[in-house]
Amino acid sequence: MDYKYYLALTSQLPFCSVPLRIDTYSNCQFSCSYCFSKARGGAPLTKSNQEIAPAQLEKRLSQVSQGRISGAVDEFLARRIPVQLGGMNDPFSPWEKEGRKTLETLKILRDYQYPTLISTKNTMLAEEPYLEVLATGNFLVRISITAGYSESRAALEKGVPSWEDRLRAAGALSSMGIPVSFRFQPIIFGEEDAVTGMIRLASTSGVRHISAEYLKLPIEKTSRQITYLSRSFPHMIDTYRKLNARQVGRELVLPSPIKAPGLFQLREEAISQKMVFGFAENEFLHLNSFHSCCNAADKFLKDANFFSSNILGILKRQMAADEIRFDLPDSSWVPTFSVFSHLNSRSRGSANYAARHSPRERWVKLLQDKWNSETERGGPSNFWGISDLGKVDSDGNKTFSVDRNIIRHDAMLHDIS
C-alpha cells in the first residue's frame, strides 16, 4: 500500500529550521526502547507498513521545479529547504533489503540535487549501490547511536548494527567525500565520560559533526517502552524524578541546569577533535554557531535555505543584543499557503484567529502567542539563559535578555547573523 503521508511538515515548525520530512516507510522494524516516534504516538507498535511511491515524489519535484505550487509543502520545496529523510522512521530498516524504496528515493533526490539530511541507525547505506548515489548527490548522513557505556547501548538498542559497525560505516562514507554526522541521541545521564570517548573514536572515522541530546523517558504506563526501560534501568525514573525532571508531553525531560554541564563538556571535546558540535536539546538550540538547528546542515549541504521565520530564528538574530524583542521583518520568508493543517493541537494556536486572517498574519500571531505565553513551553523563556525582563515593547510583546554569566562561550556567536 502506498504511504500517503510520506512527505510533510512537522509540528516543530515554530522552532525548527528544517521542518520538512520524508519517510520511505510508515513504520520501523528496529526496537529502540526510547523511540521518540513511538513514545509520541508517531507510529503504532504494529508490523503493518506502508511504502512511499517514489514516482509520486519525482512528479512533485518536477512540478515544483516548473513553478507549479499547490501548497505550503511545495513552497518549502521550491525554496530548497532541506528534507529530513527518516524524520519519523528509519529509512534503512530490514524492509529496505527487499523493497529498495529508499534507494529509489535517494536517486530522485540525487537527480534534483535536492539538499537532504539522512537519519539512520543502519549501515546499509555505506555499501553499493547506495554509496555511488550518495557520493553524487547533495546529502548529509546522520548516523544515530545511544551514547553511554556499552552495556547501556546494548540494553536500549535492539536489532541494530553495533557501535563498531557504525564507525566503520562512517569511515566508508567519509572516504567517498560524503559528510557524516553522529547523532548521540539519547545520551545516558551520568555516562558522559564514555560519550567523550565515543567522540574521539568518531573523529578517527572522518565524522565531521556531533549532535547531542539526553534520554527522554517515556512515561505512559501502558507503553511497552516504559515497561522495558523499568526492567533494564530500574532506578532511571527515580533518578529523573529526584533531579526534578518535568513532564513534557508523554516524556520526562531533565532540567536544563542538570544537562548543561555534560553538554558543554561534550561540546568542548568535539571542538578539540576539529568537529562541529550541535546542541540537540530544544532549549539549547539558540547556542549553536550555525543556522540549521542542531544538524549544521548549512555547513555541509549545497544550494540550501533554512526556515528562520520562527521563535528560534528571531532569538538567534539577536543573541548579541542587550534586549531581545519580537521582530519578524516583512522581508522574512513565510509560506503564502497556510501551514496550520500540518501542526498538531498543541502547536496550532488559536483556531478562531486562524480562520479569519491571511496565512502570514496567522503565522505571526501564533509566534506572538508563544512569545508572550505565561508558560515557558515554546517561548523565549524556554531557552537556556534567556530571561523575561518583565516589560513589553511598544507593540505589547514581552522583551527578554541573555544571561552572559550562563552563556559563557562568546565564540558560539561568531558566525550567526
Side-chain angles (χ1 to χ4, degrees):
M1 182 182 298
D2 289 347
Y3 185 20
K4 182 178 180 180
Y5 301 107
Y6 72 91
L7 174 63
L9 292 169
T10 76
S11 286
Q12 296 177 326
L13 195 63
F15 63 86
C16 184
S17 66
V18 283
L20 193 60
R21 68 159 182 87
I22 289 180
D23 281 286
T24 47
Y25 301 97
S26 66
N27 210 330
C28 180
Q29 291 173 293
F30 297 142
S31 301
C32 301
S33 57
Y34 58 84
C35 178
F36 78 90
S37 178
K38 293 182 176 67
R40 299 172 194 174
L45 289 171
T46 175
K47 294 181 179 180
S48 65
N49 180 53
Q50 299 173 13
E51 300 177 344
I52 190 174
Q56 292 298 314
L57 174 63
E58 200 286 329
K59 179 179 179 181
R60 191 161 196 169
L61 290 176
S62 176
Q63 290 175 340
V64 168
S65 69
Q66 298 171 43
R68 297 164 61 186
I69 308 298
S70 60
V73 169
D74 288 350
E75 290 185 276
F76 275 79
L77 291 172
R79 193 165 175 81
R80 291 182 65 82
I81 290 175
V83 295
Q84 298 199 52
L85 177 58
M88 292 297 292
N89 298 296
D90 198 304
F92 293 96
S93 63
W95 279 311
E96 175 62 13
K97 291 181 179 179
E98 298 294 332
R100 298 283 187 165
K101 298 299 182 181
T102 299
L103 178 60
E104 295 179 52
T105 300
L106 289 171
K107 289 179 178 178
I108 292 167
L109 293 166
R110 185 269 314 271
D111 291 345
Y112 283 87
Q113 288 294 297
Y114 198 90
T116 303
L117 294 90
I118 301 170
S119 294
T120 184
K121 288 181 174 293
N122 212 339
T123 57
M124 189 188 310
L125 75 173
E127 304 168 356
E128 296 295 357
Y130 299 95
L131 267 179
E132 186 275 333
V133 177
L134 294 173
T136 54
N138 191 7
F139 299 104
L140 168 62
V141 174
R142 291 189 296 175
I143 300 176
S144 298
I145 181 75
T146 295
Y149 298 125
S150 58
E151 297 83 359
S152 297
R153 297 199 299 268
L156 285 172
E157 296 183 328
K158 299 292 183 182
V160 298
S162 68
W163 161 241
E164 292 76 17
D165 285 342
R166 278 176 267 190
L167 281 172
R168 283 189 285 272
L173 291 160
S174 297
S175 69
M176 297 287 289
I178 302 161
V180 181
S181 165
F182 267 0
R183 187 179 183 182
F184 288 158
Q185 181 190 34
I187 297 168
I188 309 304
F189 180 76
E191 301 186 8
E192 290 84 359
D193 287 344
V195 185
T196 297
M198 295 174 71
I199 290 175
R200 292 170 185 163
L201 287 172
S203 70
T204 66
S205 294
V207 173
R208 300 171 64 183
H209 168 260
I210 297 288
S211 63
E213 181 177 1
Y214 277 95
L215 174 67
K216 294 176 172 64
L217 279 177
I219 56 175
E220 290 188 350
K221 292 182 180 179
T222 57
S223 168
R224 296 182 192 177
Q225 297 164 288
I226 193 59
T227 300
Y228 180 82
L229 283 168
S230 297
R231 186 168 62 247
S232 302
F233 299 89
H235 304 298
M236 184 74 75
I237 291 181
D238 287 343
T239 298
Y240 268 51
R241 294 199 185 281
K242 288 177 182 178
L243 292 170
N244 296 317
R246 59 193 177 98
Q247 183 173 342
V248 178
R250 299 180 177 93
E251 298 159 326
L252 278 181
V253 180
L254 289 170
S256 301
I258 298 296
K259 294 183 287 190
L263 291 173
F264 281 110
Q265 171 190 333
L266 300 179
R267 177 183 180 272
E268 290 172 6
E269 182 62 38
I271 292 173
S272 74
Q273 299 296 327
K274 311 301 182 185
M275 290 186 285
V276 180
F277 180 84
F279 295 96
E281 303 278 358
N282 289 345
E283 69 268 37
F284 290 85
L285 290 174
H286 61 308
L287 304 184
N288 290 325
S289 60
F290 39 79
H291 298 285
S292 180
C293 291
C294 63
N295 51 60
D298 50 302
K299 299 281 189 182
F300 306 110
L301 296 177
K302 302 180 291 292
D303 190 20
N305 293 302
F306 299 88
F307 186 61
S308 61
S309 296
N310 52 19
I311 298 294
L312 179 61
I314 294 172
L315 281 179
K316 291 191 76 167
R317 285 190 290 270
Q318 300 180 70
M319 286 296 290
D322 293 329
E323 188 170 282
I324 297 176
R325 299 168 175 265
F326 183 87
D327 181 26
L328 191 66
D330 291 340
S331 59
S332 59
W333 182 81
V334 174
T336 59
F337 286 87
S338 175
V339 299
F340 280 72
S341 63
H342 298 274
L343 303 178
N344 61 31
S345 58
R346 297 181 68 90
S347 304
R348 192 176 297 130
S350 170
N352 291 332
Y353 188 95
R356 300 196 307 269
H357 295 76
S358 72
R360 185 183 183 90
E361 289 172 326
R362 282 184 260 174
W363 181 249
V364 171
K365 181 63 168 68
L366 179 147
L367 294 182
Q368 287 176 322
D369 286 348
K370 289 184 177 296
W371 189 271
N372 297 308
S373 173
E374 294 300 322
T375 65
E376 291 186 355
R377 184 177 174 86
S381 294
N382 184 61
F383 291 83
W384 176 246
I386 305 295
S387 300
D388 189 339
L389 286 173
K391 58 182 182 178
V392 298
D393 62 18
S394 58
D395 295 317
N397 295 311
K398 291 181 177 182
T399 60
F400 299 84
S401 65
V402 178
D403 188 336
R404 303 297 172 188
N405 293 321
I406 292 176
I407 302 174
R408 58 193 181 278
H409 296 276
D410 292 339
M412 287 187 283
L413 309 179
H414 75 279
D415 63 351
I416 296 174
S417 58

